[in-house]
């Protein structure tokens, strides 16, 4: 008779269990903001003696700090407060977009410690040149972090395209195809810092990184755990978070909402199709419809906002038209995935006052559950902390929190 049972996992040894428990304790301190050893023991279900031993290891490796007293209100001596260290390992996030590069260093507590932005047109520029430009900005950020006794544990690069296995398969608005982003960026960074150990590099789609920032630093901290995130730039990125987990799809390409077709006979998109959403609601389309230079970038968006505030008819019409198209497409995604909220980021966040009514009308008309008619608070501007560079840095921070022993071993090596 054929045995169809799944093979059992090998039993964890003491070192593996301790490694796991070390992460449990560090994450408990991180999530609480500050805690005592006794409080951590109660939270994670370990003995006080076990927690004290693990805390000593975390203190020795520089992951937590200890100082000050707190009282639980119960009998007994006040406990000493544990906090995630303000120095030591950190996350380095790099966002490469069409018309800017941004770099962010976030410490283990989730606090921004360094942020640099360079506004530059990356379209039509060789990928190696763009990645070298990003590496220069990252090297500056690493230097500024070092002055604060922070050392990034890795770099995570966020880009506007289909990203998998360290490679951008396609980024239509940048004009990139099959670019080995992680290898090129790592080489460029090492060339700028030859005396330093190579930094591990990972990569992802920029909308995914922004959605994770919203989850970890923005609306997710307020209890919103299922949401559709849209970021309006020159292209339109999308990501879906369900019950606190990013939905990636079978191949990691879920969320390409900007290339959902609004009109199959519409204008040709850079992706090769016709009538994609970004041809009607992307930054360039918005500016052109308002009579502003489509390539004006940040200055163009500021001008569009200025005209909207003055009640300019062309500006208001452009925004309203984009809102209608967004609402039609987003309502389909809401019907399919049933999120609690829709978050609008990027330029949409700046134009929310004029964009939201048109989007809301379409959602109220088309979402079959009727929830958008019953609750007008489901369409929200993204948090000011919900950006791709911060989310990318957060990815590295989460990796350290998930396995602090791995970072400590690497740092000693």
């Amino acid at each position: 008779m054929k045995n169809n049972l799944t093979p059992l996992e090998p039993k964890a040894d003491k070192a593996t269990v301790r490694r796991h428990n070390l992460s449990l304790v560090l994450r408990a301190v991180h999530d609480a903001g500050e805690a005592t050893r006794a409080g951590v023991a109660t939270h994670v279900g370990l003995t006080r003696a076990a927690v004290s031993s693990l805390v000593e290891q975390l203190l020795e490796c520089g992951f937590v700090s200890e100082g000050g007293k707190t009282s639980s209100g119960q009998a007994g001596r006040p406990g000493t407060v544990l906090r995630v260290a303000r120095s030591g390992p950190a996350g380095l996030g790099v966002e490469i977009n069409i018309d800017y590069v941004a770099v962010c260093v976030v410490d283990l507590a989730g606090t921004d410690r360094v942020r640099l932005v360079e506004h530059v047109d990356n379209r039509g520029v060789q990928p190696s040149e763009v990645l070298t430009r990003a590496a220069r900005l990252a090297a500056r950020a690493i230097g500024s972090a070092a002055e604060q006794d922070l050392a990034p544990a890795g770099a995570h690069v966020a880009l506007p395209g289909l990203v998998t296995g360290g490679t951008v398969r396609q980024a239509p608005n940048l004009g990139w195809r099959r670019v080995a982003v992680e290898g090129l960026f790592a080489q460029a960074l090492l060339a700028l810092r030859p005396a330093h150990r190579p930094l591990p590099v990972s990569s992802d789609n920029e909308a995914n990184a922004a959605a994770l920032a919203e989850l970890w630093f923005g609306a997710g901290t307020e209890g919103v755990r299922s949401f559709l995130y849209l970021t309006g730039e020159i292209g339109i990125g999308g990501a879906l978070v369900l019950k606190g987990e990013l939905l990636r799809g079978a191949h990691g390409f879920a969320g390409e909402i900007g290339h959902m077709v609004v009109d199959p006979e519409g204008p040709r998109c850079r992706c090769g199709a016709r009538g994609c959403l970004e041809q009607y609601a992307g930054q360039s389309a918005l500016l052109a419809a308002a009579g502003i230079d489509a390539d004006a970038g940040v200055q163009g968006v500021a001008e569009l906002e200025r005209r909207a505030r003055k009640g300019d008819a062309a500006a208001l019409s452009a925004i309203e038209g984009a809102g209608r198209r967004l609402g039609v497409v987003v309502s389909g995604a809401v019907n399919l995935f049933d999120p609690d909220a829709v978050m609008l980021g990027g330029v949409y966040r700046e134009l929310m006052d004029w964009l939201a009514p048109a989007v809301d009308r379409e959602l109220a008309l088309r979402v079959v559950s009727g929830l958008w008619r019953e609750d007008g608070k489901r369409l929200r501007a993204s948090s000011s902390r919900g950006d791709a560079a911060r989310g990318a840095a957060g990815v590295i921070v989460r990796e350290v929190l998930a396995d602090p022993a791995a970072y400590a071993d690497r740092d000693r090596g």
Side-chain angles (χ1 to χ4, degrees):
M1 180 177 178
K2 188 176 180 180
N3 183 0
N4 292 320
L5 295 176
T6 303
L8 295 174
E9 293 290 331
K11 186 176 180 180
D13 58 22
K14 288 183 179 180
T16 302
V17 171
R18 184 173 181 85
R19 193 182 193 113
H20 171 73
N21 288 341
L22 197 68
S23 172
L24 277 182
V25 172
L26 179 58
R27 283 182 287 144
V29 176
H30 171 273
D31 293 347
E34 60 179 44
T36 63
R37 297 183 188 214
V40 170
T42 300
H43 181 75
V44 301
L46 297 172
T47 66
R48 292 193 185 189
V51 166
S52 286
S53 175
L54 294 163
V55 166
E56 290 302 323
Q57 186 176 347
L58 290 170
L59 286 166
E60 181 184 346
C61 294
F63 292 107
V64 298
S65 62
E66 190 172 35
K69 297 289 184 179
T70 185
S71 175
S72 64
Q74 299 175 346
R77 292 182 300 173
T80 306
V81 175
L82 295 167
R83 299 179 182 86
V84 173
R86 295 271 298 168
S87 58
L92 173 65
V94 180
E95 179 188 1
I96 297 173
N97 221 304
I98 313 303
D99 52 1
Y100 66 89
V101 176
V103 175
C104 183
V105 176
V106 171
D107 64 23
L108 290 188
T111 304
D112 281 17
R113 303 291 290 277
V114 181
R115 174 171 286 272
L116 301 172
V117 180
E118 183 178 327
H119 294 284
V120 60
D121 193 343
N122 292 315
R123 288 170 289 191
V125 181
Q126 285 295 316
S128 58
E129 183 178 338
V130 175
L131 290 163
T132 298
R133 180 182 292 156
R136 282 197 296 267
L137 203 63
R140 283 177 51 198
I142 293 170
S144 295
E147 294 172 358
Q148 303 177 59
D149 294 323
L150 289 168
H156 192 71
V157 185
L159 304 110
L162 303 179
V163 185
T164 182
T167 298
V168 173
R169 291 173 61 96
Q170 183 180 5
N173 289 310
L174 282 173
W176 293 11
R177 290 183 66 85
R178 300 195 179 278
V179 177
V181 165
E182 291 178 14
L184 290 171
F185 179 82
Q187 290 172 14
L189 189 59
L190 185 59
L192 292 164
R193 306 172 70 248
H196 295 80
R197 181 184 305 165
L199 204 61
V201 177
S202 53
S203 57
D204 200 356
N205 172 267
E206 53 91 20
N208 286 345
L212 289 174
E214 193 66 48
L215 175 66
W216 294 331
F217 308 118
T221 63
E222 302 168 7
V224 181
R225 309 293 289 174
S226 295
F227 57 88
L228 175 65
Y229 182 94
L230 274 77
T231 175
E233 304 289 350
I234 289 176
I236 300 174
L240 185 69
V241 173
L242 294 177
K243 296 183 178 179
E245 296 291 333
L246 185 67
L247 180 68
R248 292 188 173 275
H251 307 97
F253 301 148
E256 287 295 322
I257 198 166
H259 296 289
M260 292 183 68
V261 175
V262 175
D263 179 0
E265 304 301 322
R268 180 76 66 182
C269 180
R270 290 178 186 269
C271 73
R274 285 190 175 275
C276 293
L277 176 63
E278 71 176 45
Q279 296 302 305
Y280 300 93
Q283 177 178 301
S284 295
L286 263 167
L287 295 180
I292 300 170
D293 179 6
D295 296 324
V298 174
Q299 291 78 17
V301 174
E303 175 62 15
L304 177 61
E305 184 178 357
R306 187 189 68 81
R307 293 185 187 184
R309 291 193 184 282
K310 291 180 64 177
D312 180 81
L316 295 175
S317 176
I319 298 171
E320 201 270 342
R324 288 200 314 272
R325 303 287 190 172
L326 276 172
V328 169
V329 171
V330 169
S331 63
V334 170
N335 282 333
L336 189 60
F337 294 108
D338 187 31
D340 284 329
V342 173
M343 307 284 183
L344 299 183
V347 300
Y348 297 150
R349 184 174 181 274
E350 309 305 318
L351 301 173
M352 193 71 178
D353 288 347
W354 308 280
L355 192 68
V359 180
D360 252 333
R361 282 195 300 271
E362 295 297 334
L363 287 165
L365 178 66
R366 299 173 187 278
V367 173
V368 294
S369 67
L371 291 176
W372 247 263
R373 290 189 296 274
E374 298 166 12
D375 183 356
K377 298 179 181 178
R378 293 176 179 270
L379 181 68
R380 302 172 54 161
S382 69
S383 163
S384 60
R385 294 174 58 77
D387 68 90
R390 183 179 285 110
V395 168
I396 302 300
V397 167
R398 294 280 162 161
E399 289 175 355
V400 175
L401 295 175
D403 194 357
Y407 175 82
D409 290 345
R410 194 182 79 207
D411 197 43
R412 285 193 293 264

